[in-house]
Amino acid sequence: MPAIVGAVKVINVSTSGIFHIGDVYTMAPKSRAKTFAGGASFNTGNDIRVQVADSHTYVYDKDTFDQNVAGT
């Protein structure tokens, strides 16, 4: 059923977000990311104690494209 929409003010749409007004059959947002992190990274929880004396993150990535996002 068609919708009647008044004024719309869009402040921000993130890179992996979708802004849509009206009827839709399907929506498929696409995004990609690559993350490198050193020792003791991404810890979650209460009262975490981590001791890392020397942390290095060595990255050798011979691939040109890791996650190809194509199409609609």
Side-chain angles (χ1 to χ4, degrees), residues 10-55:
V10 178
I11 302 298
N12 187 14
V13 177
S14 67
T15 57
S16 62
I18 293 177
F19 175 73
H20 172 74
I21 296 177
D23 297 336
V24 66
Y25 174 72
T26 184
M27 294 190 296
K30 297 184 179 1
S31 68
R32 61 182 158 228
K34 181 184 275 190
T35 303
F36 302 107
S41 298
F42 306 115
N43 292 316
T44 58
N46 297 328
D47 196 29
I48 293 177
R49 296 176 189 173
V50 178
Q51 293 180 350
V52 178
D54 193 15
S55 175

